[in-house]
């Protein structure tokens, strides 16, 4: 029988393993319920009534809505500026505003992970020089600020308008006020607790809350944002007896529900709450018309503006002004994401256009010039192009040349068909903008990857299925009065709009279903072949000619290898479970790295796995971000500058004393050259075996070397002797560039004098210094340098707690203290993951290094 704790742990592990499928499935179920609810709420409404309500909207109301949209996005930009001020970073305001505007334009429209505002910020702010830690803090700040601000504004508005809200929701006025007061009290306690930036302890975690000034500024920014965005919809509604304060509370609740549902852009969830709340006081057809205009003005228009900005950057020759130069960098990073979001909207527009009637005037015009089969074929094909364009958006965001060709061809063909199936001028303008953006940005889509090999992630599949479900709902709403029968499928007339829409949605459903099945039924993870001796020799040859000494671990021959197209660079990796774990940065020339990262991520996905990059440098993070991966900090790497290393003076007095002590105890340092190592291999094995036995541990693999004769003898070995007997050794990892050196296996016998490792390291550094090596890599201190204050990511705060209190499991602080004695320069190292929790990726990496579960449990 399993204990309750074991059962909970098992459930958590099961959820994490299948989270990528469960969450999208829940989103689809939520959308299904809300779709049914809104369809039921609109039983008395006709499509013609909605069109009439749209036509009756005043131009002044539309202009006001555009004004409030601009005001809302100005406030949204304030989130990022306030976040940067909070973490103490200062960036040029114009690029920050462009990044923030693009993030909200894409995030509000796409609304799911693959094209989220977080990805936009990571790509934009990394180009502006922010570290991944800082970007994570910015994202955490804006996310929490929006959630808390939305809650506060809703509570205050509900408190003021409790009678109206209570009547709308069907609950007592006292309950509304009680809930609002409770929320306000909780938020007030948080403000008081963080007075002047005080720290708040949550268990062992410490969090520095925003100071009073930051909190006040952020609340005003959030209030302005929500008030402005609510006003966008409010001015589009007809005259109603619901006052603006009451509507603000309803709107904030609808936005919050849409965000919590995780349905892309809150589609259906937001509309259901608005219709349910206003349906008794405003004609539902007018509410629906206002909601359509709201979506266009508040969601599509900002994305259109951002895309036009990218196009403008392409067609204009900007000056060499620093701001212009920075914007050019941003344009390069953001253009694919903006165009991908724009392609999604264009695809959705084509799908919805296929299930809605063509205006009678357009049909009469087409009747005089085109035969019926041409119109029917154009209508059906246009809908198919829409769903293909929507699906290709993912490849566009990843800069695939195949996706670019697909999106370009679909846009051009759909543009032509827009005038064949209907005289759709606005649709054509939208497609012209997308086509122009794709053509002008063609040089950014240089990744030669087949679109057919790309599998959509569950989030993308759900987004596509949500689109299909929404289109079916619109079809049923528009043709509610039609008597459906099998004969409808075979009716081909200019006036037969319902059969035409049915055939279009059938084609869309078949194509979408085929793409979804092909993506979800991806092949099981496979074990690619281990590296061949020829490949290993080629990799070692590359290692010799580059600067990273750690890359010599490839000599263990226990890792798989993936080479760049021209064979000048490679990635070494292992497979554990479904995780394809690449060790360190790709090895080889810098120009080979971007495509190699993409190739590795795509190969992992194609084989049913998930890509992980382990112990990577900050330089690789932008490429990982471009591939849709997120990074968390693992620890810090200690680098000693050998050109300045000197035992003289007080700074390294402790090490000088260790060396003198070792000399008094008869320690002798020597380096056995690579050609002579096999002559001493048995003496080295004796030291290794006694070290393993004394520490009750086993050999590790993957990121560490193991005592194998061929590996130990592949490079020089530094040894310590007493009375001619080897008592300690360290294998040296060197490259021909002499930029960096390090050690891998470090073993000492139980009878070695105390402090032998200090002596060995100092002598190694002096030896390498004399050989003109420039730096010495002391290795990584795991979980070192993790932030535990301010708006630090959850991973960092957990890591800092483990570092402080996990000594019984691993000598985190002791290892950091040992390396600190050498006064190194600390460089961060990261774990980059795709579509999986960092914790799961870390477990897989640990199992891979330890040789499986048995190796980890048995040390």
């Amino acid at each position: 029988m399993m204990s309750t704790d074991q059962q909970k742990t098992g459930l958590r592990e099961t959820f994490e393993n299948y989270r990528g499928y469960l969450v999208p499935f829940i989103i689809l179920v939520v959308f299904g319920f809300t779709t049914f609810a809104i369809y039921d709420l609109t039983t008395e409404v006709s499509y013609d009534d909605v069109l009439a309500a749209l036509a009756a909207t005043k131009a002044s109301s539309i202009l006001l809505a555009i004004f409030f949209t601009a005001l809302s996005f100005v406030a949204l930009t304030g989130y990022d500026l306030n976040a940067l001020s909070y973490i103490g970073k200062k960036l040029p305001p114009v690029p920050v505003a462009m990044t923030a505007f693009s993030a909200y334009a894409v995030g509000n429209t796409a609304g799911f992970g693959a094209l989220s505002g977080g990805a936009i910020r990571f790509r934009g702010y990394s180009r502006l020089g922010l570290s991944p830690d800082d970007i994570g803090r910015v994202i955490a700040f804006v996310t929490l600020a929006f959630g808390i601000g939305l809650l506060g504004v809703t509570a205050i508005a509900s408190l003021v308008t409790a009678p109206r809200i209570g009547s709308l929701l069907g609950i007592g006025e006292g309950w509304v006020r009680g809930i609002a007061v409770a929320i306000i009290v909780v938020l007030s306690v948080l403000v008081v607790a963080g007075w002047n930036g005080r720290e708040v302890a949550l268990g062992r975690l410490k969090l520095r809350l925003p100071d009073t000034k930051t909190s006040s500024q952020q609340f005003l920014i959030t209030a302005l944002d929500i008030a402005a965005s609510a006003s966008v919809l409010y001015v589009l509604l007809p005259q109603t007896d619901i006052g603006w304060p009451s509507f603000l509370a309803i709107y904030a609740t609808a936005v919050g529900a849409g965000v919590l549902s995780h349905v892309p852009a809150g589609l259906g969830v937001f509309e259901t709450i608005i219709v349910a709340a206003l349906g008794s006081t405003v004609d539902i057809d007018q509410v629906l018309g206002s909601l359509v205009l709201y979506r266009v003005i508040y969601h599509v228009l900002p994305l259109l503006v951002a895309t036009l900005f990218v196009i403008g950057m392409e067609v204009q020759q900007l000056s060499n002004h620093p701001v212009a130069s920075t914007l050019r960098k941003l344009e390069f990073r953001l253009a694919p994401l903006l165009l991908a979001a724009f392609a999604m909207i264009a695809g959705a527009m084509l799908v919805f256009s296929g299930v809605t009637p063509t205006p009678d005037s357009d049909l009469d015009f087409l009747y005089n010039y085109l035969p019926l089969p041409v119109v029917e074929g154009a209508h059906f094909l246009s809908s198919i192009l829409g769903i293909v364009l929507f699906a290709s958006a993912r490849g566009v965001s990843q800069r695939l040349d195949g996706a670019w060709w697909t999106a370009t061809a679909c846009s051009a063909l759909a543009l032509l068909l827009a005038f064949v199936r209907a005289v759709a001028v606005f649709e054509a303008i939208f497609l012209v903008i997308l086509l122009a953006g794709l053509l002008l940005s063609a040089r950014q889509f240089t990744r030669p990857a087949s679109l057919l090999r790309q599998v959509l992630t569950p989030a993308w599949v759900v987004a596509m299925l949500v689109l299909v479900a929404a289109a079916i709902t619109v079809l049923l709403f528009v043709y509610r009065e039609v008597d459906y029968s099998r004969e409808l499928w075979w009716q081909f007339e200019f006036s037969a709009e319902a059969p035409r829409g049915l055939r279009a949605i059938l084609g869309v459903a078949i194509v979408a279903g085929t793409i979804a099945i092909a993506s979800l039924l991806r092949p099981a993870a496979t074990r690619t072949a281990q590296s061949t001796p020829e490949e290993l020799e080629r990799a070692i040859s590359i290692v010799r000619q580059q600067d990273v000494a750690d890359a010599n671990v490839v000599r263990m021959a226990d890792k798989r290898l993936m080479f760049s197209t021209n064979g000048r660079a490679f990635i070494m990796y292992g497979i554990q479970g479904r995780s394809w774990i690449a060790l360190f940065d790709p090895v080889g020339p810098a120009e080979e790295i971007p495509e190699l990262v993409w190739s590795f991520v795509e190969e992992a996905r194609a084989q049913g796995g998930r890509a992980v990059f382990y112990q990577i440098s900050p330089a690789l993070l932008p490429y990982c971000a471009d591939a849709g991966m997120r990074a968390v900090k693992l620890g810090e790497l200690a680098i000693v500058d050998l050109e300045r290393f000197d035992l003289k003076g007080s700074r390294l007095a402790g090490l000088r004393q260790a060396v003198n002590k070792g000399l008094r105890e008869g320690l002798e340092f020597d380096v056995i050259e690579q050609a002579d190592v096999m002559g001493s291999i048995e003496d080295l094995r004796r030291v290794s075996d006694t070290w393993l036995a004394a520490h009750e541990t086993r050999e590790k693999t993957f990121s560490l070397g193991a005592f194998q004769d061929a590996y130990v003898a592949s490079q020089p070995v530094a040894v310590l002797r007493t009375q001619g007997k080897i008592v300690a050794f360290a294998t040296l990892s060197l490259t021909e560039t002499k930029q960096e050196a390090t050690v891998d296996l470090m073993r000492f016998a139980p009878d070695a004098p105390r402090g032998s490792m200090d002596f060995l390291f100092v002598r190694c550094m002096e030896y390498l210094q004399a050989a003109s090596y420039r730096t010495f890599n002391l290795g990584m201190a795991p979980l070192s340098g993790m932030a535990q204050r301010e708006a630090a990511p959850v991973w960092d705060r957990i890591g800092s707690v483990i570092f402080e209190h996990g000594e019984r499991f691993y000598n985190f602080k002791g290892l950091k203290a040992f390396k600190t004695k050498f006064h190194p320069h600390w460089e961060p190292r990261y774990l980059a993951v795709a579509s999986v929790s960092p914790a799961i990726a870390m477990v897989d990496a640990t199992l891979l290094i330890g040789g499986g579960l048995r190796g980890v449990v048995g040390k």
Side-chain angles (χ1 to χ4, degrees):
M1 291 288 291
M2 289 191 300
S3 67
T4 304
D5 290 340
Q6 289 175 322
Q7 291 175 344
K8 290 180 178 178
T9 301
L11 288 174
R12 280 196 300 268
E13 291 178 351
T14 301
F15 176 77
E16 286 294 342
N17 285 330
Y18 295 98
R19 179 178 181 176
Y21 297 95
L22 290 174
V23 173
F25 175 75
I26 292 171
I27 292 172
L28 202 58
V29 170
V30 170
F31 179 77
F33 278 115
T34 56
T35 299
F36 177 81
I38 198 168
Y39 183 81
D40 187 59
L41 288 169
T42 58
T43 51
E44 304 298 324
V45 181
S46 70
Y47 178 69
D48 291 335
D49 293 336
V50 176
L51 290 181
L54 277 170
T57 305
K58 297 178 181 178
S60 58
S61 297
I62 294 175
L63 291 175
L64 271 175
I66 293 173
F67 167 76
F68 284 121
T69 297
L71 188 61
S72 174
F73 272 81
V74 168
L76 287 171
T77 302
Y79 280 84
D80 286 56
L81 293 172
N82 208 29
L84 290 169
S85 174
Y86 172 61
I87 67 173
K89 300 294 180 180
K90 190 172 183 180
L91 296 176
V94 175
V96 169
M98 179 58 194
T99 301
F101 180 83
S102 300
Y104 288 112
V106 172
N108 289 347
T109 304
F112 70 102
L115 286 174
S116 67
I120 289 276
R121 286 188 179 88
F122 200 101
R123 300 186 190 194
Y125 288 144
S126 63
R127 178 67 68 176
L128 295 175
L130 283 191
S131 69
D133 297 338
D134 290 332
I135 298 172
R137 292 158 71 192
V138 168
I139 294 173
F141 182 94
V142 298
T143 303
L144 290 173
F146 175 76
I148 294 173
L150 180 66
L151 196 60
V153 171
T154 306
I156 293 173
S158 300
L159 189 63
V160 175
T161 61
R164 166 66 69 178
I165 299 300
S167 64
L168 290 173
L169 298 179
I171 60 176
E173 172 186 339
W175 278 103
V176 175
R177 283 208 168 96
I179 294 171
V181 168
I183 293 172
I184 293 171
V185 168
V186 171
L187 295 180
S188 299
V189 169
L190 285 176
V191 172
V192 173
W195 194 267
N196 292 328
R198 254 187 300 181
E199 286 187 348
V200 175
L202 302 175
R204 292 178 174 177
L205 299 178
K206 293 182 179 179
L207 180 67
R208 184 175 71 83
L209 296 176
D211 56 54
T212 309
K213 179 182 177 182
T214 303
S215 299
S216 302
Q217 287 177 344
Q218 189 54 54
F219 182 78
L220 291 175
I221 290 171
T222 306
L224 176 61
D225 163 38
I226 297 172
S229 59
S231 298
V232 175
L233 180 55
Y234 189 73
V235 298
L236 294 172
L237 289 168
Q239 293 294 326
T240 174
D241 60 348
I242 295 180
W244 184 84
S246 299
F247 178 78
L248 178 64
I250 296 169
Y251 175 86
T253 302
V255 170
V259 172
L260 291 175
S261 72
H262 287 78
V263 174
L267 186 65
V269 179
F270 174 83
E271 283 79 4
T272 299
I273 294 176
I274 295 295
V275 170
L278 303 182
S280 60
T281 58
V282 184
D283 289 341
I284 294 181
D285 57 335
Q286 295 178 326
V287 176
L288 290 176
S290 300
L291 285 169
V292 171
L293 278 176
Y294 167 80
R295 287 288 187 182
V296 171
I297 293 172
Y298 193 74
H299 290 260
V300 178
L301 184 59
L303 182 61
L304 179 64
V305 171
T307 305
L308 287 174
F309 176 83
V310 168
I311 293 174
M313 294 285 288
E314 293 286 355
V315 299
Q316 291 183 7
Q317 295 295 323
L318 295 179
S319 66
N320 290 323
H321 190 277
V323 171
S325 176
T326 304
L327 288 178
R328 278 198 296 272
K329 294 179 181 178
L330 279 181
E331 176 265 340
F332 179 80
R333 297 300 299 278
L334 302 185
L337 286 172
L338 289 171
L339 290 173
F342 206 78
M344 288 176 59
I345 298 299
M349 176 187 66
L350 292 172
V351 171
F352 286 127
S353 181
V355 297
T356 52
T358 304
D360 292 339
S361 58
D362 292 350
L363 284 177
D364 292 339
F365 177 82
L366 295 174
Y367 179 80
N368 295 323
Y369 294 98
L370 294 174
L372 178 60
V374 173
V375 176
E376 290 282 359
H379 195 94
F380 182 82
L381 183 56
S382 182
S383 300
I384 301 299
L385 290 172
I387 196 65
V388 173
L389 184 59
F390 187 94
S392 70
R394 178 173 180 267
V396 171
S397 71
Q398 296 179 347
R399 298 187 294 110
L400 300 183
D401 61 350
W404 181 87
W405 281 107
T406 301
T408 302
C410 286
S411 301
L413 189 54
L415 176 60
L416 174 63
L417 296 180
F419 295 99
V420 176
R421 65 175 182 80
V423 188
V425 177
F426 290 107
E427 186 176 303
I429 292 173
F430 206 85
L431 290 168
V432 165
I433 294 172
L434 174 60
L435 190 58
L438 288 168
L439 291 173
L440 291 168
S441 302
R443 71 183 187 280
Q444 299 187 32
F445 297 88
T446 56
R447 299 191 51 243
S450 170
L451 182 65
L452 296 177
R453 287 192 61 198
Q454 300 300 303
V455 289
L456 296 184
T457 61
W460 275 90
V461 170
V462 164
M464 186 172 59
L465 296 182
V466 163
L467 172 62
V468 175
I472 293 173
T473 304
V474 170
L475 177 74
L476 295 176
F477 170 76
V478 171
Y479 302 110
R480 192 191 294 270
E481 304 301 326
V482 173
D483 185 16
Y484 290 96
S485 64
R486 284 179 293 182
E487 287 74 19
L488 282 176
W489 297 104
W490 312 110
Q491 289 185 11
F492 295 93
E493 301 175 10
F494 265 98
S495 60
E497 296 275 44
R500 196 173 295 137
L502 281 172
R503 289 189 289 271
I505 198 61
L506 176 63
V508 167
I510 291 173
V511 173
T514 301
I515 296 173
I517 291 172
S519 297
L520 293 177
L521 297 182
R522 64 182 69 179
T526 59
R527 295 294 185 267
T528 55
Q530 292 283 358
S531 55
T532 64
E534 293 76 16
E535 289 176 330
L536 184 59
E537 281 303 316
R538 194 189 340 162
I540 293 173
S541 177
I542 295 172
V543 169
R544 292 194 190 103
Q545 303 302 318
Q546 53 85 56
D547 294 337
V548 181
D550 274 334
N552 278 290
V553 77
V554 74
R555 298 172 185 269
M556 274 286 295
D558 63 340
K559 286 168 276 293
R560 295 165 172 84
L561 300 174
M562 176 183 288
F563 288 89
S564 59
T565 304
N566 59 19
R568 297 172 57 210
F570 70 91
I571 284 177
M572 49 183 155
Y573 68 99
I575 299 176
Q576 175 64 44
R578 287 187 56 219
S579 295
W580 287 43
I581 305 173
L583 181 62
F584 308 137
D585 294 12
V587 183
E591 61 269 19
E592 303 290 320
I593 289 177
E595 187 55 41
L596 197 49
V597 170
W598 277 106
S599 298
F600 179 73
V601 172
E602 288 169 347
E603 183 65 22
R605 288 172 179 164
Q607 298 296 334
R610 54 204 176 206
V612 179
F613 281 88
Y614 182 72
Q615 286 194 39
I616 60 175
S617 71
L620 195 68
L621 295 179
Y623 305 115
C624 292
D626 286 341
M629 307 179 78
R630 59 193 180 105
V632 294
K633 194 171 184 178
L634 278 179
E636 294 179 308
L637 192 74
I639 303 291
V640 176
D641 185 353
L642 292 179
E643 294 176 337
R644 298 183 179 180
F645 182 73
D646 192 346
L647 292 181
K648 296 177 181 178
S650 60
R651 190 164 174 261
L652 299 179
L655 294 177
R656 187 170 61 250
Q657 293 171 6
V659 170
N660 292 333
K661 179 175 178 292
L663 291 173
R664 290 194 301 270
E665 294 179 345
L667 284 176
E668 299 174 355
F669 173 81
D670 186 24
V671 174
I672 304 175
E673 295 301 329
Q674 185 264 332
D676 301 323
V677 171
M678 286 304 295
S680 303
I681 197 69
E682 292 304 324
D683 292 335
L684 298 174
R685 191 192 318 280
R686 174 185 53 78
V687 173
S688 178
D689 290 345
T690 56
W691 184 87
L692 291 171
H695 288 79
E696 299 180 346
T697 190
R698 301 165 43 143
E699 293 281 12
K700 301 297 187 288
T701 58
F702 189 58
S703 65
L704 302 170
F707 195 97
Q708 297 174 0
D709 292 5
Y711 178 67
V712 174
S714 65
Q715 292 229 282
V717 179
V719 298
L720 291 183
R721 291 186 175 94
T722 57
Q723 300 178 352
K725 175 184 175 183
I726 296 178
V727 293
F729 73 88
T731 58
L732 299 179
S733 292
L734 312 173
T735 69
E736 294 177 3
T737 68
K738 296 194 174 183
Q739 173 60 39
E740 180 184 81
T742 187
V743 297
D744 188 6
L745 272 74
M746 296 169 286
R747 308 281 164 88
F748 56 91
D751 56 346
R754 184 171 182 150
S756 292
M757 296 312 291
D758 286 356
F759 186 93
L760 179 59
F761 268 81
V762 171
R763 287 301 193 221
C764 281
M765 291 183 198
E766 291 176 336
Y767 168 81
L768 294 166
Q769 186 183 52
S772 300
Y773 282 85
R774 290 180 280 279
T775 60
F776 185 80
N777 176 357
L778 278 168
M780 190 179 73
L783 306 183
S784 168
M786 301 290 233
Q788 59 174 313
R789 299 182 177 182
E790 304 179 8
V794 173
W795 173 268
D796 276 30
R797 298 202 298 272
I798 293 173
S800 66
V801 170
I802 296 174
F803 182 80
E804 289 294 328
H805 306 283
E807 292 298 294
R808 58 177 294 190
F809 304 107
Y810 187 85
N811 190 22
F812 295 105
K813 297 175 76 173
L815 185 60
K816 175 72 178 286
F818 172 78
K819 298 176 190 289
T820 300
K821 290 189 292 188
F822 296 88
H823 292 275
H825 165 68
W826 295 97
E827 293 183 359
R829 286 297 180 267
Y830 297 91
L831 173 82
V833 297
S835 67
V836 69
S837 165
I840 293 177
M842 272 301 301
V843 169
D844 284 341
T846 302
L847 292 173
L848 189 59
I849 295 169
L853 182 61
R854 181 180 177 185
V856 172
V857 174
K859 285 193 170 183

